Amino acid sequence: MTNPLILKLEARDDLSDAEKASLENAITETRTFRPGDDLVREGDRPTTSTLVLDGLCARYKLLGSGRRQITAINVPGDFVDLQSFLLHEMDHGIVALTPCRVGCVPHDTLRQLTEAEPHLTRLLWLSTVVDSGIHRQWLVAMGRMSAQGRMAHLVCELYVRLRSAGCADDLGFDLPITQEALGDILGLSSVHVNRVLQELRGDGLITWRGGRLTIGDWDRLRATAEFDPNYLNLIHEPR
Amino acid sequence: MTNPLILKLEARDDLSDAEKASLENAITETRTFRPGDDLVREGDRPTTSTLVLDGLCARYKLLGSGRRQITAINVPGDFVDLQSFLLHEMDHGIVALTPCRVGCVPHDTLRQLTEAEPHLTRLLWLSTVVDSGIHRQWLVAMGRMSAQGRMAHLVCELYVRLRSAGCADDLGFDLPITQEALGDILGLSSVHVNRVLQELRGDGLITWRGGRLTIGDWDRLRATAEFDPNYLNLIHEPR
DNA sequence: CGAGGTCTTGAAGACGATCAACAAACGTGG
DNA sequence: CCACGTTTGTTGATCGTCTTCAAGACCTCG
């Protein structure tokens, strides 16, 4: 099976065979995690960065009250903590939301890439910059949209991202997580998540049963979410 | 006057004289903006990136309802839209919050830096990655903190960032923006911003008059905000 | 001095949180 | 395959936070 990071980068620019080989060889080890396992903890100083090969992970922070906020979802092909190569100390934890398989890339290897492969460096930089754009969009949703709008937006985003990673079909995608986790993503209580889901289902926009999310009416879902995939930067052009 | 970007990067790693010169020479033009002016609009495809030399700018998105959400504040030394060099199309606008002086750096120059200056490239990459960390912290505040906690957190963050940019003294800093803008930052209505400010002032945590924010009790402000500057990555070490 | 923008205050209402109880689903061991 | 315990999902009731609307005060700048 080919490395999903290569798929992700090739969606945005051409890669030479040498560059693909560099990426393939960068992974020194693969590891698996079960839902709820921490891949990395806040305060760690990892010496490798983690690439999601399969499953979903989340970045999160905990507050004094014990509340959790998830700040990002990572799908296959995402370099979860690529920034730890530059930041050194983790300012947040990373948890497996579903069963996960990940690849580890030593920071030394990344550093060598930045010395020898300027184009690949720009593409890796790009992938952190796209993450940043997703964060900004989430901020807009959190600050100015209703709970239903936010939920609809999340579904739209995950659908497009999973699709581009080859992990969704025409009808929907697997999302085997709890309503509480969904609340931690959207900044809502699990009770309210439940009610919002019922409304969206009542309106025929989505259904979500047995860990499988099905899209009922993409156009209206998209309208509810005011979703514009622009910020995901799924455009192929020279970088 | 020395380029504040150099100050910002030197807070996090050593720069050689050649690297400093590269950064100085990168700015081809400086421009000024008045409060409310757009530096860049959503959908633009700029050919330069913008470095704040003086004043405050904000990244923002507008929703269908006309609501605005500010997703980032940029202080002197920040490279506002460095990512446009990789992303090409702007997924958000940038507005001057106060009178601003900025420097323009052509994307061609940035590209050449990535080809010839790996260490400087890593530092510029780092600065986008720190922005990302700030976004994540804002998400936590938006999702899981009260209006007062959020306000307190914003004040703490701005104080530390402006201080490290040499734009704040022991007592506080200039913040000549409207309460409505503050609401667009925090995802609150301007009415509620007003009330939250009154409470914080009543508690002796801050005062804000005539565009000048004064910190009354840093320890309690910090506690209210659960503020930990860790995510700003103000650590000097080799990158 | 007047006009537009900004700040302030009050009142009403919407949205989402919290609490509590129960139902359903899941997994584990017998 | 069933029994049981634990986790997850569902529902109702109540409460608090923040929004919205509206009106008046203040301020700044032409």
Side-chain angles (χ1 to χ4, degrees), chain B residues 42-220:
Chain B
E42 183 168 347
D44 282 358
R45 295 179 73 90
T47 57
T48 65
S49 284
T50 309
L51 173 61
V52 184
L53 299 174
D54 205 37
L56 295 177
C57 313
R59 311 181 185 211
Y60 69 94
K61 289 200 183 196
L62 297 175
L63 281 90
S65 56
R67 289 171 149 188
R68 180 173 76 159
Q69 177 66 48
I70 289 175
T71 58
I73 306 287
N74 290 284
V75 306
D78 286 351
F79 232 130
V80 195
D81 59 346
L82 181 50
Q83 84 286 346
S84 73
F85 148 60
L86 295 161
L87 243 35
H88 299 167
E89 183 172 331
M90 290 298 293
D91 62 4
H92 60 277
I94 299 172
V95 66
L97 287 180
T98 70
C100 270
R101 202 165 53 84
V102 307
C104 300
V105 178
H107 288 172
D108 286 346
T109 307
L110 291 170
R111 190 194 181 83
Q112 283 160 27
L113 284 182
T114 65
E115 295 285 339
E117 302 259 22
H119 178 245
L120 205 45
T121 301
R122 286 195 297 274
L123 289 183
L124 291 175
W125 185 355
L126 171 66
S127 78
T128 65
V129 153
V130 170
D131 283 354
S132 218
I134 295 173
H135 287 146
R136 284 192 292 274
Q137 187 58 49
W138 283 30
L139 277 167
V140 173
M142 293 275 261
R144 295 302 191 195
M145 289 178 64
S146 68
Q148 309 181 54
R150 266 184 269 173
M151 178 76 75
H153 197 280
L154 179 68
V155 171
C156 288
E157 179 186 303
L158 284 179
Y159 182 60
V160 170
R161 289 174 62 193
L162 288 169
R163 203 119 219 260
S164 107
C167 304
D169 55 43
D170 286 345
L171 302 172
F173 53 92
D174 289 331
L175 189 65
I177 68 175
T178 65
Q179 294 183 1
E180 189 164 7
L182 211 39
D184 289 343
I185 295 167
L186 297 169
L188 299 171
S189 67
S190 61
V191 171
H192 203 59
V193 164
N194 186 289
R195 289 177 172 138
V196 168
L197 284 169
Q198 288 181 45
E199 291 185 62
L200 291 179
R201 181 156 46 82
D203 290 345
L205 300 187
I206 59 171
T207 55
W208 185 37
R209 282 182 55 80
R212 162 93 191 165
L213 197 145
T214 307
I215 295 183
D217 186 334
W218 173 252
D219 288 340
R220 279 171 52 229

Side-chain angles (χ1 to χ4, degrees), chain A residues 41-57:
Chain A
R41 288 210 176 73
E42 183 168 348
D44 282 359
R45 295 180 72 91
T47 57
T48 65
S49 284
T50 309
L51 173 62
V52 184
L53 300 173
D54 205 37
L56 296 177
C57 312

Side-chain angles (χ1 to χ4, degrees), chain A:
Chain A
M1 176 193 139
T2 92
N3 181 328
L5 173 62
I6 292 177
L7 280 175
K8 179 178 167 178
L9 298 184
E10 280 189 318
R12 296 178 169 93
D13 193 3
D14 293 323
L15 289 177
S16 71
D17 289 341
E19 287 173 330
K20 288 187 214 176
S22 294
L23 288 174
E24 288 289 3
N25 296 333
I27 298 176
T28 54
E29 182 193 1
T30 69
R31 305 178 63 187
T32 62
F33 294 89
R34 284 175 306 174
D37 287 352
D38 272 317
L39 281 71
V40 190
R41 288 210 176 73
E42 183 168 348
D44 282 359
R45 295 180 72 91
T47 57
T48 65
S49 284
T50 309
L51 173 62
V52 184
L53 300 173
D54 205 37
L56 296 177
C57 312
R59 310 180 186 212
Y60 70 93
K61 288 199 184 197
L62 298 174
L63 282 91
S65 56
R67 290 170 149 189
R68 182 174 74 158
Q69 178 65 48
I70 288 176
T71 58
I73 306 287
N74 290 284
V75 307
D78 286 351
F79 232 130
V80 195
D81 60 346
L82 180 50
Q83 83 286 345
S84 73
F85 149 61
L86 294 162
L87 241 35
H88 299 166
E89 182 172 330
M90 292 297 293
D91 62 6
H92 60 276
I94 300 171
V95 66
L97 287 179
T98 70
C100 272
R101 203 164 52 82
V102 306
C104 300
V105 178
H107 288 171
D108 286 346
T109 306
L110 291 169
R111 190 194 180 84
Q112 283 160 25
L113 284 181
T114 65
E115 296 285 340
E117 304 258 21
H119 178 245
L120 204 46
T121 300
R122 286 196 296 274
L123 290 183
L124 291 176
W125 186 353
L126 172 66
S127 78
T128 65
V129 154
V130 169
D131 282 353
S132 218
I134 295 172
H135 287 147
R136 284 191 293 273
Q137 187 58 49
W138 283 29
L139 277 168
V140 173
M142 292 276 260
R144 295 303 192 195
M145 291 178 63
S146 68
Q148 307 181 56
R150 265 183 269 172
M151 178 76 75
H153 196 280
L154 179 69
V155 172
C156 288
E157 179 185 305
L158 283 180
Y159 183 59
V160 170
R161 289 174 63 194
L162 287 169
R163 204 121 217 259
S164 106
C167 304
D169 56 43
D170 286 343
L171 302 172
F173 53 92
D174 289 331
L175 189 66
I177 68 175
T178 64
Q179 295 183 359
E180 189 164 9
L182 212 38
D184 288 343
I185 296 167
L186 297 169
L188 299 171
S189 68
S190 62
V191 171
H192 202 59
V193 164
N194 186 289
R195 289 178 172 137
V196 167
L197 286 169
Q198 289 181 46
E199 291 185 60
L200 291 178
R201 181 155 45 81
D203 291 344
L205 300 188
I206 59 171
T207 55
W208 185 36
R209 284 182 55 81
R212 162 93 191 163
L213 197 144
T214 307
I215 295 183
D217 185 335
W218 173 251
D219 287 340
R220 279 172 51 229
L221 185 66
R222 185 175 163 153
T224 303
E226 296 193 42
F227 179 74
D228 175 353
N230 176 264
Y231 71 99
L232 297 173
N233 211 256
L234 289 165
I235 300 172
H236 191 95
E237 53 187 349
R239 312 277 180 174

